[in-house]
């Protein structure tokens, strides 16, 4: 199996090194990652300037590794161009969880989505951080179990995995869609100039069997995702009341 690994924390992140070493058990590994941190970049792609890549300044033992002056999605697009025989793209291990609504702006998940858009399986992997770096040795057996399960078929699919600090098991979950409150926190720099931090605070408890719910109970959360964002029920309702817009308005004959 040919595996392409990227992230949004950048080529220097210990999370990508841990994932690359674990992935070696499953096949040939190549690393193509941003040259600087690109957290919360979402699915941004670069179109106003050319992309370049250079050999990684740090060594991934037994692995070809390159850094790109672009976003996580850029890295996947360029990586798949460099290695067209890629079977799966792994993105992570991200330093910070990607749960619930955070999926919308996650650069980690965007890299996995980009893989699926290019016709390759994409898997995003994340874990919380605190005052110290994650204990990747503790997480390693669970990373291996998840990859063993998800790599056993050649389906083109998208998965989002989150690892608690000390996992006790693994659960299949759905994305939490509990509402959250985006908040702007005023602050100032040492020169007295005003600035602002964008943050969030939860407004609702996590739904049972959701990714947030599983993580709160120290379970690894595996969430299968899809690229089709269509609200099927609302579409059905609208077609039933105004099918002229639903069909003729789309230029069908």
């Amino acid at each position: 199996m040919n595996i392409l690994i990227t992230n949004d924390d950048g080529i220097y992140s210990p999370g990508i090194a841990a994932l690359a070493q674990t992935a070696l058990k499953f096949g040939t590994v190549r690393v193509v990652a941003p040259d600087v941190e690109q957290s919360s970049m979402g699915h941004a792609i670069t179109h106003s300037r050319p992309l370049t890549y250079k050999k990684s300044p740090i060594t991934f033992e037994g692995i070809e590794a390159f850094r790109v002056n672009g976003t996580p999605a850029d890295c996947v697009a360029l990586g798949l161009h460099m290695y067209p025989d890629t079977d799966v793209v792994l993105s992570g291990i991200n330093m910070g969880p990607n749960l619930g609504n955070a999926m919308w702006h996650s650069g980690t998940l965007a890299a996995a989505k980009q893989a699926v858009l290019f016709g390759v399986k994409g898997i995003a992997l994340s874990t919380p951080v605190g005052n110290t770096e994650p204990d990747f040795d503790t997480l390693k057996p669970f990373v291996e179990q998840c990859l063993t399960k998800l790599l056993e078929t050649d389906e083109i699919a998208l998965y989002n995995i989150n690892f608690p600090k000390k996992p006790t098991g693994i659960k299949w979950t759905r994305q939490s869609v509990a509402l959250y409150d985006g908040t702007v926190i005023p602050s100032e720099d040492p020169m007295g100039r005003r600035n602002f931090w964008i943050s969030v605070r939860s407004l609702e408890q996590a739904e049972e069997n959701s990714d947030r719910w599983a993580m709160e109970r120290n379970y690894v959360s595996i969430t299968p995702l899809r690229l089709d964002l269509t609200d099927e029920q609302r579409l059905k309702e609208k077609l039933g009341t105004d099918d002229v817009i639903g069909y003729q308005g789309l230029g069908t004959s």
Side-chain angles (χ1 to χ4, degrees), residues 165-233:
K165 293 182 179 180
K166 296 182 178 180
T168 58
I170 301 173
K171 283 189 178 294
W172 289 99
T173 61
R174 59 181 294 266
Q175 177 190 0
S176 172
V177 293
L179 296 178
Y180 73 98
D181 184 22
T183 182
V184 177
I185 303 174
S187 182
E188 64 178 38
D189 66 16
M191 303 297 293
R193 295 170 297 196
R194 202 149 193 227
N195 55 34
F196 302 88
W197 291 90
I198 296 178
S199 186
V200 297
R201 61 177 182 269
S202 179
L203 290 180
E204 297 180 357
Q205 290 185 338
E207 310 92 318
E208 187 173 356
N209 295 321
S210 69
D211 51 9
R212 285 177 49 210
W213 178 90
M215 285 281 284
E216 289 170 0
R217 288 157 179 79
N218 291 319
Y219 288 106
V220 176
S221 163
I222 306 180
T223 306
L225 302 173
R226 65 179 185 178
L227 298 184
D228 183 357
L229 301 178
T230 305
D231 185 333
E232 302 288 355
Q233 181 58 39

Side-chain angles (χ1 to χ4, degrees), residues 234-248:
R234 193 176 301 276
L235 176 61
K236 183 178 179 180
E237 293 171 358
K238 297 302 182 183
L239 291 178
T241 58
D242 197 353
D243 58 2
V244 172
I245 295 177
Y247 291 103
Q248 295 180 12

Side-chain angles (χ1 to χ4, degrees), residues 91 94 97-100 102-103 106 108-110 112 122-126 150 157-163 171-175 211 220-225:
S91 179
N94 189 62
N98 281 301
L99 301 163
M103 293 186 195
S106 167
T108 302
L109 183 58
I123 303 173
L125 306 94
S126 306
L150 299 183
L158 176 63
Y159 296 99
N160 186 42
I161 308 176
N162 282 273
F163 300 88
K171 283 189 178 294
W172 289 99
T173 61
R174 59 181 294 266
Q175 177 190 0
D211 51 9
V220 176
S221 163
I222 306 180
T223 306
L225 302 173

Side-chain angles (χ1 to χ4, degrees), residues 21-141:
Q21 289 302 316
T22 301
L24 277 173
K25 294 189 175 183
F26 297 88
T28 301
V29 175
R30 294 93 168 229
V31 172
V32 180
D35 56 1
V36 296
E37 184 172 347
Q38 298 279 343
S39 294
S40 296
M41 184 59 66
H43 209 121
I45 58 173
T46 300
H47 69 87
S48 58
R49 59 172 174 80
L51 294 174
T52 60
Y53 69 89
K54 297 179 180 179
K55 191 173 181 60
S56 170
I58 59 174
T59 300
F60 293 79
E61 187 175 351
I63 298 172
E64 286 189 322
F66 300 92
R67 55 190 168 110
V68 176
N69 63 335
T71 68
D74 289 336
C75 290
V76 173
L78 184 56
L80 293 177
H81 173 78
M82 295 164 61
Y83 302 109
D85 59 348
T86 298
D87 298 302
V88 61
V89 172
L90 306 180
S91 179
I93 300 173
N94 189 62
M95 306 284 276
N98 281 301
L99 301 163
N101 290 302
M103 293 186 195
W104 288 96
H105 57 75
S106 167
T108 302
L109 183 58
K113 287 190 294 179
Q114 183 79 322
V116 177
L117 288 172
F118 276 66
V120 177
K121 182 183 296 186
I123 303 173
L125 306 94
S126 306
T127 192
V129 292
N131 295 328
T132 60
E133 292 180 351
D135 183 354
F136 291 111
D137 288 337
T138 296
L139 299 182
K140 183 177 179 180

